[in-house]
Amino acid sequence: MKRLAKRTAYALFTLLAIPVWMLYRLQSLVLDKNISFYDYSQLMSLFPGTLGNYLRYGFYRLTLKRLGEDACICFGATLAHPEIEIDKGAYIGPFCNLGLCSIGEAALLGTGVHVLSGLHQHGSDDLETPMRDQPGRLERIKVGKYSWVGNKAVIAADVGEKSIVGAGSLVLREIPAYAVAAGNPAKVFRDRRERSNQGHSGAEDTPSSPASNPEPGNEIP
């Protein structure tokens, strides 16, 4: 019954988001598509609470390249590109900012996580031209399934599946699967499988253990 109620709510709020989606499409005919998308992402980020989470789900279901079932995008979170992919059960915490990226199944992004579009968004070779005007390139950053990225981390390289990135970390190099990493720049200091093989739960890796499947509106500590 709960599953049916949730699916009904997703469908209802998708219908409610259609007028906003239509305005976005109209603006995209005049302005750059990415600029228009970010404009409406900022607007959608302002709706608070559980209803806001469902409304964002409806809008992004219509606009993103992929949005999986039960994904939660919280208050204040902004997305920069319609080519973003968010898999089922993923949790995008409050005030996150996502560049071009793919977020894996049931991945958890804590409050204020920034996922950049790689490290080459702006050129810097020409000393006579402002960096904002120099050509760059976007890179799709991947955050693997079942991974957990702590509050206010900055992600500029891939994060492997089932890995943990500590709060406030700066990820400049790829984090392998099952790794526990932290720091500025982030460094791997353990493989989660080692402790798992010794019979430990792994809960001590983090300041607090997140809910395994948080309902929309619940913030990950």
Side-chain angles (χ1 to χ4, degrees):
M1 183 63 69
K2 184 178 180 181
R3 179 78 263 165
L4 177 60
K6 183 175 287 189
R7 287 180 175 176
T8 301
Y10 285 146
L12 174 61
F13 279 89
T14 299
L15 290 174
L16 292 175
I18 287 178
V20 183
W21 170 77
M22 293 178 66
L23 290 173
Y24 154 67
R25 291 300 299 268
L26 287 173
Q27 180 174 316
S28 298
L29 297 175
V30 179
L31 300 178
D32 178 83
K33 182 179 179 180
N34 288 335
I35 292 176
S36 299
F37 178 81
Y38 192 55
D39 286 348
Y40 280 88
S41 179
Q42 290 178 328
L43 172 64
M44 298 306 296
S45 74
L46 301 177
F47 294 94
T50 300
L51 295 181
N53 291 343
Y54 277 110
L55 187 59
R56 274 184 289 278
Y57 182 92
F59 175 74
Y60 289 122
R61 185 179 181 182
L62 296 169
T63 55
L64 286 182
K65 182 176 182 179
R66 183 171 79 243
L67 180 64
E69 188 175 12
D70 284 342
C72 179
I73 302 172
C74 291
F75 174 76
T78 54
L79 283 61
H81 300 280
E83 294 298 308
I84 288 172
E85 301 174 337
I86 300 176
D87 216 330
K88 63 181 181 179
Y91 179 92
I92 312 301
F95 303 106
C96 287
N97 187 285
L98 304 187
L100 182 62
C101 63
S102 295
I103 308 299
E105 177 183 349
L108 301 176
L109 304 188
T111 299
V113 171
H114 286 231
V115 182
L116 308 182
S117 303
L119 293 172
H120 305 285
Q121 298 179 66
H122 299 285
S124 59
D125 293 335
D126 187 348
L127 300 181
E128 304 303 320
T129 302
M131 281 182 277
R132 63 177 296 175
D133 296 329
Q134 296 189 41
R137 70 177 188 275
L138 304 182
E139 301 172 4
R140 180 179 293 276
I141 300 301
K142 298 178 180 179
V143 177
K145 67 179 183 179
Y146 306 160
S147 58
W148 182 14
V149 180
N151 294 357
K152 297 186 178 180
V154 178
I155 309 299
D158 291 348
V159 174
E161 64 179 47
K162 302 179 182 179
S163 59
I164 297 172
V165 176
S169 298
L170 173 60
V171 176
L172 298 177
R173 296 183 178 180
E174 181 177 355
I175 303 298
Y178 300 99
V180 179
N184 183 357
K187 296 182 179 180
V188 175
F189 59 89
R190 199 172 61 75
D191 187 314
R192 293 180 65 206
R193 291 170 292 189
E194 296 174 2
R195 183 157 298 176
S196 178
N197 291 337
Q198 296 171 9
H200 293 274
S201 66
E204 59 270 36
D205 290 332
T206 57
S208 56
S209 296
S212 60
N213 185 23
E215 290 295 315
N218 292 345
E219 181 179 351
I220 301 301

